Amino acid sequence: RGIETAFLGHVTSLLAKKGVKRLAACFIPSPKNKTAENFLSSSGFKLVGTKGESSCYEIDTALLTKLVHPITI
């Protein structure tokens, strides 16, 4: 548990260091990923649009870096 958040925190940190200002992601629902349905919104991403069943989100990397705290393994 928590590996998704740790991964997101690590990737976001790397992107922010490279100057990336915004991160975009789309969720495409399927029977296998039902449990991840709210991951982006609960991680601070804002819904910016939908297309069919897909939901697209964006977040400022500086904000995401503050919201997501990587775990130490």
Side-chain angles (χ1 to χ4, degrees), residues 15 19-24 45-46 48 57-62:
L15 293 172
V20 174
K21 304 285 185 210
R22 297 197 61 74
L23 183 59
F45 282 75
K46 300 296 178 200
V48 294
Y57 299 83
E58 286 186 356
I59 193 167
D60 180 278
T61 54

Side-chain angles (χ1 to χ4, degrees), residues 26 33 52:
C26 291
N33 68 3

Side-chain angles (χ1 to χ4, degrees), residues 30-45:
S30 76
K32 289 186 177 185
N33 68 3
K34 181 76 173 154
T35 58
E37 184 173 37
N38 298 313
F39 177 70
L40 294 170
S41 60
S42 68
S43 296
F45 282 75

Side-chain angles (χ1 to χ4, degrees), residues 5 10 17-18 26 36 38:
T5 303
H10 180 72
K17 287 177 185 175
K18 293 197 175 278
C26 291
N38 298 313

